[in-house]
Amino acid sequence: MRRFWHKITENLIPVFRRRLSGVDALPQLAVLGLLSGLFTGGVILVFRLAIEWPLEYFLPGEGSESFEELDILTRAILPLAGAVGLGLLMHNLATHDRKVGIVHVMERLNYHQGYISIRSALVQFVTGVSTVVTGQSAGREGPAVHLGAAFSSLMGQWMRLPNNSIRTLVACGCAAAISASFNTPISGVIFAMEVVMMEYTIAGFTPIILASVTAAVVSQAMYGSEVAFSVPPLTMNSLLEIPWIIAIAIIIGVAAAAFIQLVDTTGRHHHRPVLLRLTIAGLLMVPFAIVVPEVMGIGYDTVQFTLDNQLPFWLLLGAGVAKLIITSVTIGLGMPSGVIGPTLFMGATLGGAMGLIAAQVFPDTASSVGFYAMLGMGAMMGAVLQAPLAALMALMELTRNPNIILPGMLVITTASLVTSEAFGKKSLFLTILKSQGLSYQNSPVIQALRRVSVGAIMDRSILRTERFLSREEAGKILKSEPKWLVVEGSSGPTALLPAVDLARYLEDTKPSANSEQEAEEETPEQIDLMDIPANRRDIAPVQYQATLEEALNEFEHTSVEALYVQRHVAPMIQRVYGVVLKTDIESYYQYRRS
């Protein structure tokens, strides 16, 4: 049995990795998608239970979100104590270990090929649970996305997959996390590709869909087939409501722009000590927790009450505005909170408030309050994340009602346009990245180069050789018919030499038959590969897992003419698998584009 397993690992896994180097490895990517969905679904279940169990035990009333039933003193102390505790925890962490959430996932994708550490995942798990349990204005979906991406990335790192595959696994983890959180597999797929990856590819859809569906199955095995909210049947009563829907979209668009601006403004204090910032965030949370306790925690109970038209106008308006202010300020100050849940809360309450107004102004034609609340949820999510398609898919899956499509498309696109065009706001995640001095490159060229590993285009017809060779050794090398000779130096490969140049040199300096003795006296005993006439190229290393984008960056940073592809196979041993020229990358991109 051990010999059989050893044979599999020795033969099948390298072939599996090699196939994944290219962009068309659909069967292999499908397997990875299934594994990511199973793994992420299990992680999200553990994460949700870690939040729900303590809240169900300690909070009065039923469910895990009844913060409103706590006494005033407890509501004041709980978020402040939680903020101070989180501040102490993060104060003792290195700066790079404090980064959590979807923004961190996007940063790792853009700058580190999707490599996420186990330490980052553990920090996100602890902080994600702590923010919700201690009554901060937070959501669980942002931390869940980080956890799904992290554990999927760790799986790829453990399997030593090419970096382009690890990037796909991160997207699979993001989709699976959203799917498992809301029981909305389509929304998970679109969210991963529209918000996190910011690209749509045929090869990417298959594994991400499989991951999302698999995670939904895992979630349904535990929580059943119901979606996050119980939504009553919703329909638009009359086309005369369209002007009112547009008005709601404009108001939501303005609110989304204000939310992004507040996060950006308060985020400019990120250079202050993290303990001070989080303590201030906790202090600011105290009056909101006392006056409007609905803003504490995730707030999905309030969303459900809104959908069922059980809350008065002023409570809806006050809770929506309060959630907007306190969430944006605390996130800007560094509170490791998720933002997707709060956007749904804000959209539902503000949309519900507008629905109550409609019921008073034109009672004969106005639709239900739940209808307007759902439209508000989709509009706020689409505007804050600048992801209209993901928001529309979420709206459809949460309502399971095709009648929501037409008004949903109208309200989401209008709100997104108001936020982006009228106020010039990019998505919240891109705004936070920019405030940190980072960018997110998503041009078509960069996207194409990230999808392929150097292993897919490298030339494997190589032979490593010492610099000095005898004529006999040179002849033996050429018998194997390599295309390239990698010339070894004192500290590794130093040059790349076309084998044909060595063959030409041997032919030109071949001694004549009638003057063999004279030729032996004139011909040097050793051939110096760095001295003979040849088209030599300077070389630098690139790892086997690297994408074409990384290889191109290596060309720019080192100014070399070729890269040799290596992999660490044992302590102090690097195996060279092939070589890549800059023209190879350019030719590959031109070929794929055509």
Side-chain angles (χ1 to χ4, degrees):
M1 186 66 183
R2 182 179 297 178
R3 182 180 298 178
F4 175 74
W5 179 250
H6 179 73
K7 189 174 182 180
I8 290 178
T9 55
E10 286 293 320
N11 298 325
L12 295 184
I13 292 181
V15 174
F16 188 77
R17 293 194 192 109
R18 196 179 308 128
R19 294 284 180 85
L20 285 168
S21 299
V23 71
D24 300 321
L26 272 181
Q28 292 77 17
L29 290 172
V31 172
L32 291 180
L34 287 170
L35 292 174
S36 173
L38 285 171
F39 204 25
T40 300
V43 169
I44 300 308
L45 283 183
V46 174
F47 178 65
R48 288 184 62 175
L49 292 174
I51 292 174
E52 292 168 1
W53 278 350
L55 290 179
E56 288 177 356
Y57 183 79
F58 288 108
L59 289 181
E62 297 182 0
S64 58
E65 298 189 65
S66 53
F67 287 98
E68 299 90 339
E69 297 185 32
L70 292 171
D71 60 86
I72 292 179
L73 183 60
T74 305
R75 295 207 304 262
I77 294 175
L78 183 61
L80 177 58
V84 172
L86 283 167
L88 290 171
L89 171 64
M90 301 187 77
H91 174 74
N92 291 308
L93 295 174
T95 303
H96 62 272
D97 289 329
R98 299 172 187 166
K99 296 182 177 181
V100 293
I102 298 174
V103 172
H104 179 61
V105 173
M106 295 173 69
E107 177 190 344
R108 299 304 297 183
L109 274 172
N110 195 52
Y111 292 92
H112 304 280
Q113 301 302 323
Y115 280 65
I116 305 175
S117 68
I118 183 66
R119 187 180 181 88
S120 168
L122 293 175
V123 170
Q124 176 63 96
F125 189 93
V126 173
T127 57
V129 171
S130 300
T131 51
V132 178
V133 169
T134 59
Q136 311 299 329
S137 179
R140 69 179 180 224
E141 289 74 28
V145 168
H146 183 165
L147 290 172
F151 281 99
S152 295
S153 172
L154 289 166
M155 182 179 71
Q157 294 174 50
W158 177 74
M159 297 172 68
R160 297 172 62 190
L161 299 181
N163 290 353
N164 60 322
S165 302
I166 291 179
R167 290 179 57 85
T168 302
L169 274 172
V170 169
C172 289
C174 294
I178 292 294
S179 177
S181 297
F182 288 113
N183 194 15
T184 52
I186 300 178
S187 304
V189 173
I190 303 301
F191 178 89
M193 305 197 82
E194 186 177 25
V195 177
V196 181
M197 299 294 288
M198 292 189 177
E199 63 179 80
Y200 293 93
T201 62
I202 300 301
F205 263 118
T206 298
I208 294 174
I209 288 173
L210 289 173
S212 185
V213 170
T214 307
V217 170
V218 173
S219 176
Q220 288 182 21
M222 180 70 183
Y223 290 98
S225 60
E226 294 299 319
V227 291
F229 308 105
S230 176
V231 182
L234 303 174
T235 56
M236 184 173 65
N237 289 341
S238 170
L239 292 177
L240 296 175
E241 294 180 82
I242 288 179
W244 188 248
I245 290 173
I246 293 175
I248 293 174
I250 293 173
I251 291 173
I252 294 291
V254 172
F259 182 80
I260 296 171
Q261 182 61 51
L262 279 172
V263 173
D264 189 29
T265 301
T266 52
R268 294 170 187 171
H269 300 284
H270 62 85
H271 59 281
R272 307 280 185 185
V274 65
L275 178 58
L276 174 63
R277 288 185 282 119
L278 292 190
T279 301
I280 293 174
L283 288 170
L284 292 174
M285 185 68 194
V286 171
F288 285 89
I290 293 173
V291 178
V292 195
E294 286 79 10
V295 301
M296 298 178 70
I298 303 174
Y300 284 169
D301 56 340
T302 302
V303 173
Q304 188 63 60
F305 290 147
T306 305
L307 294 172
D308 296 335
N309 192 17
Q310 295 182 19
L311 299 178
F313 171 79
W314 290 110
L315 178 57
L316 288 176
L317 183 61
V321 173
K323 191 78 168 180
L324 186 153
I325 295 172
I326 193 59
T327 306
S328 59
V329 171
T330 54
I331 288 178
L333 289 174
M335 185 67 70
S337 304
V339 73
I340 298 176
T343 61
L344 296 179
F345 181 104
M346 291 182 285
T349 50
L350 294 178
M354 296 295 289
L356 288 174
I357 293 176
Q360 293 294 322
V361 176
F362 42 94
D364 295 333
T365 57
S367 297
S368 67
V369 172
F371 172 80
Y372 290 110
M374 284 302 303
L375 291 183
M377 290 168 66
M380 183 63 80
M381 180 180 175
V384 170
L385 306 184
Q386 284 299 296
L389 189 56
L392 180 61
M393 290 298 104
L395 204 59
M396 289 177 57
E397 286 190 291
L398 288 172
T399 60
R400 296 180 176 177
N401 184 351
N403 296 319
I404 202 75
I405 295 177
L406 188 149
M409 292 173 67
L410 179 62
V411 75
I412 290 170
T413 53
T414 304
S416 299
L417 283 171
V418 169
T419 303
S420 63
E421 302 304 318
F423 293 92
K425 300 298 180 186
K426 295 185 178 295
S427 82
L428 177 67
F429 302 136
L430 292 181
T431 301
I432 296 175
L433 277 173
K434 184 179 179 181
S435 70
Q436 296 174 356
L438 305 173
S439 63
Y440 197 87
Q441 299 177 351
N442 61 335
S443 68
V445 175
I446 295 296
Q447 290 176 0
L449 296 180
R450 284 173 174 171
R451 290 195 289 267
V452 184
S453 169
V454 291
I457 69 165
M458 69 182 180
D459 194 332
R460 297 174 182 270
S461 180
I462 64 167
L463 191 65
R464 298 176 72 174
T465 178
E466 298 296 329
R467 173 177 176 177
F468 297 98
L469 300 172
S470 66
R471 184 173 285 271
E472 182 181 358
E473 290 171 335
K476 289 181 179 178
I477 285 175
L478 293 176
K479 282 184 179 179
S480 61
E481 298 183 353
K483 182 178 179 180
W484 300 100
L485 299 178
V486 180
V487 183
E488 296 287 341
S490 57
S491 58
T494 58
L496 186 67
L497 177 75
V500 67
D501 288 349
L502 175 59
R504 186 181 297 111
Y505 173 78
L506 292 178
E507 184 67 27
D508 293 343
T509 59
K510 183 178 180 180
S512 60
N514 57 0
S515 58
E516 205 170 300
Q517 184 175 358
E518 181 181 349
E520 287 179 0
E521 293 176 358
E522 293 179 357
T523 303
E525 293 184 0
Q526 289 185 316
I527 299 171
D528 185 355
L529 295 181
M530 299 299 291
D531 187 52
I532 66 173
N535 184 20
R536 281 176 292 273
R537 291 170 169 85
D538 295 330
I539 57 176
V542 66
Q543 292 301 312
Y544 187 87
Q545 296 93 337
T547 62
L548 297 189
E549 182 203 14
E550 292 177 272
L552 201 59
N553 290 337
E554 193 67 27
F555 275 118
E556 294 175 357
H557 294 156
T558 60
S559 300
V560 297
E561 300 167 284
L563 299 173
Y564 62 92
V565 182
Q566 66 176 13
R567 171 184 279 165
H568 184 77
V569 295
M572 306 299 293
I573 298 178
Q574 296 279 359
R575 181 179 174 185
V576 176
Y577 288 83
V579 294
V580 175
L581 306 183
K582 193 172 184 179
T583 53
D584 294 336
I585 299 176
E586 295 170 350
S587 299
Y588 179 85
Y589 176 71
Q590 292 295 333
Y591 169 74
R592 297 299 300 186
R593 189 175 64 173
S594 62

